[in-house]
Amino acid sequence: MMAFGEQTGKRTGQDPIGLEPKKRKVEFVVPEDGDDKEFTAEMYKRFLKTALSDLEKNETTQLDMVANQLAQPANSDQRISAENLSVLLDVLSKNINKIDSSKRAPLIQSIINFEKWWELPSYTLNKYMLFVTILCSSIPKWWQDVSMSLVSGFNLSPEKTVHHHSLLKYFLQMIPSSMGYIDMYLVRFFPNNNDSSKNLVNYISNLLTLTTYCKELQFQAWSLIVERTISLDVALQNELDELDDDIEDFEGDDDDDDNEEKEEDDTNGIPDEDIVAEDEDQDDVPESELEGEEEYNVKVSQSIKDLSTKLDAILTLVTGRLQEELTAENLQAGDGVTIFNTLTTLFKSHVLPTYYTKSIQYIVFLISQQQIELMDSFLVTLIDISFSPTETSEKKIKSLQYLGSYIARAKKLSRTQIIFVASYLTSWLNRYVLEREEEVDQPGGMERFKHFYAAFQALCYIFCFRYSLFRDADSSWECELDKFFPRMVLTKFNPLKYCNENVMLMFARIAQHEDVACCFSIIENNNNERLRGIIGRGDKDSKTSQSVATSTWSLATRQQFIDLQSYFPYDPLFLKHYKQMMKDYYIEWSEAGGEYESDELED
């Protein structure tokens, strides 16, 4: 029995169809008997065919009511039943040309945007996907709306988007020209930093699935993932910096020395620190005891935890997927090489130029260690940038920082690779001294030689972590380091003065204990010179090269240089799960040279 009136135009004792479409529903009383089910389906099919015929008379009332039922939320009792939806999709699939007009658009839009269509019973779901396929194949203009709806569903878990990807895969092959606007949708629907961790992870997971069947969008998808992850990484670092500043202001001048000491430990790459753990402890403080600045710090700490949780989940997901992709078999087939080259390109264009990221660089750190050829490739990339005549000075210094930090921390590197990089650095530094040492006596600040200092610091940092590998079978020093280092520290460049102080102190301790160089007398002399300069006892009439060079190095320029030299890209992670993932690939300071932490080795 149909619950709608006959189309006679007369009153039936009920409201005419279409007057209050949101309150009316086309449905059938479905008895238990199977034959009656078929009967009611046939009646509904006749109704739909009549409604389609009415379209030729510009009468859309019946189909508008159907569209309204389709547009109802999934939990509404006014929504079309799965049985009637199957019938509707069947009828429309066989009459696709009849709905190809602007007046039929609301009906089609309601089907495309049918809420939770992926949760329909399998029989109806198959009908739904078939209709979408017929619709977009017959009237291609609708694919733009369908693809937008599919991409907008990427915040769903991967288990719920299997059919989304089936349709995307089919039509990307059928309509390759659609990749342009699908690329725009990928950007439009990407969750922002304030969205939930779940939505961010789901979206990125679906993006990664997209790259498996659409190689043409692989670079765009990875670019988007890297850009948004950098955004989270930078936001987290800004929060950490703000928290540090606020804590320093709150604690006052009495604790300045302690704060400075902690800051040095966090930035010099030696030893390991865990930042977030300290912030999490603040959760134990009762709200009643929090006032003013302290209360503000707790709020910032919550933001830090939110950002770190998102970043941790994203990087763990992405790196895990990459490990699956970069197998020996995939590399042999060429697919793995393409992905690695894509990420190397994005490292150069996005990660390297961004200042003080803490976590995203670990993607290439780990995936490069999957195979020795990938490590070779990454090392060559860093060396090329570090010594390229066309790169900016800042980018070359950043690349040297990555080179030194990578060699120091990457556990899978071979001794051959480490010795090769050290040999390259010593050769370049020796040549630099021969060609430019005389310039130190000429007017100009020592910042002219910051490329030299960055290279020397990278080598010293490597030595601190890898000194045990630099002796050959006869206990002789590779690269003649026992001759190289004493010569370098005595040059007019005076690298022990202008490189990072903490690294130079640690290098001095290890170098002296390993009998490769004696540095403490030079460091002491540098400290005395600096002290005389601070208290105004320097010889202002002196025309020595060092006085001339130093006098033109402004405080601002010197601070900028110090900040740049204090960045160690592969300092310890503080992301809980991602740090665990790095365990087999990462060298902790305690594993490399922790015994040299003691000040007793200074003398």
Side-chain angles (χ1 to χ4, degrees), residues 137-138 435:
S137 299
S138 304
E435 294 174 357

Side-chain angles (χ1 to χ4, degrees), residues 255-280:
D255 296 327
D256 282 349
D257 293 339
D258 293 336
N259 291 332
E260 289 174 8
E261 182 179 349
K262 181 183 185 302
E263 184 176 353
E264 289 177 353
D265 286 344
D266 287 345
T267 58
N268 68 7
I270 308 167
D272 303 333
E273 295 287 342
D274 192 333
I275 298 173
V276 170
E278 296 179 5
D279 298 324
E280 290 175 348

